[in-house]
Amino acid sequence: MAEVHLEGEPNGLASMVAGLVEANIARDAARARLLASTRGAAQIDVPDAGVTIGLKFVPGALTVTSGAVPGADLRITTDAETLMSLSTVPLRLGLPDALSSEGRGVVFKLLTRGLKVRGLPFGLPLLRTVNRLLSVN
């Protein structure tokens, strides 16, 4: 069974992300299976809200932390509004669907540096997993 843990004293974003992932894996067995084989760490920085969270993956579990993850394989930096909108963007192959208006908005944010993703191309599988786990679609 896939598990989601909060580590330490969680900030609001860490609590929200952990709750969202728990709900998504409870309602969709395919998302729970994503955790079975995922390894690595991602960090999400939201400078305008002054928060950073870490996502540490080991097979079968995700640990969400408040704060930086040293040596994270993937690092995402964006504003709070963009981060929240990412949960509702339609996905295609685990990435925002550029054929939808919301997906094109994400591509625009990437091109204008309103959304920064570091750790690619090696972190692409982890990025796809993070997108699928956070998506409410």
Side-chain angles (χ1 to χ4, degrees), residues 10-56:
N11 60 36
L13 181 60
S15 296
M16 184 184 70
V17 166
L20 179 61
V21 172
E22 282 179 326
N24 283 341
I25 64 174
R27 72 176 173 81
D28 185 355
R31 292 181 201 211
R33 285 190 300 271
L34 285 173
L35 289 181
S37 61
T38 302
R39 289 183 177 274
Q43 179 173 309
I44 302 174
D45 298 307
V46 187
D48 66 323
V51 295
T52 295
I53 65 167
L55 306 172
K56 299 179 194 174

Side-chain angles (χ1 to χ4, degrees), residues 126-137:
L126 185 58
L127 177 62
R128 292 175 57 192
T129 297
V130 168
N131 285 339
R132 288 178 175 148
L133 290 173
L134 295 180
S135 175
V136 295
N137 295 327

Side-chain angles (χ1 to χ4, degrees), residues 84-96:
M84 293 302 110
S85 71
L86 289 174
S87 67
T88 60
V89 171
L91 301 177
R92 183 179 300 264
L93 302 173
L95 298 172

